[in-house]
Amino acid sequence: MRENQNLSPKEQKVAICIAQGYKDSEISQDLSISMRRTAEIVASIKEKWNIKTRVEIGIFAYHYGLVFLTEGMEVHSSEV
């Protein structure tokens, strides 16, 4: 992963989940955090990257190397 995305590890995980199409409720369950905390993290990501939408989060996650696309256009995490 590149270091220039300026996200905390938890923000990176949320960005990856968003890029993979997860809803906030799914992110909350998957990462064992509250819905409120999930919304706060999503807002923080948007602020840090100066963007407005979840789609942009997915695009930036790809740009920063947090996720990659397979030949079939499936989104996968670059985390090991």
Side-chain angles (χ1 to χ4, degrees), residues 9-73:
K10 185 69 79 176
E11 289 168 334
Q12 288 179 25
K13 288 180 182 179
V14 170
I16 289 166
C17 288
I18 290 171
Q20 293 174 323
Y22 287 34
K23 298 175 185 175
D24 282 1
S25 59
E26 295 168 319
I27 295 169
S28 296
Q29 185 176 2
D30 193 52
L31 301 181
S32 299
I33 56 177
S34 70
M35 285 285 294
R36 181 177 178 175
R37 182 68 185 130
T38 300
E40 290 170 351
I41 293 170
V42 171
S44 177
I45 293 167
K46 289 177 181 177
E47 183 178 329
K48 285 183 177 183
W49 284 350
N50 193 29
I51 57 177
K52 297 182 193 279
T53 69
R54 293 171 72 91
V55 171
E56 290 175 297
I57 291 175
I59 292 167
F60 273 61
Y62 175 77
H63 174 78
Y64 287 129
L66 296 174
V67 295
F68 63 94
L69 299 174
T70 63
E71 191 172 310
M73 297 300 288

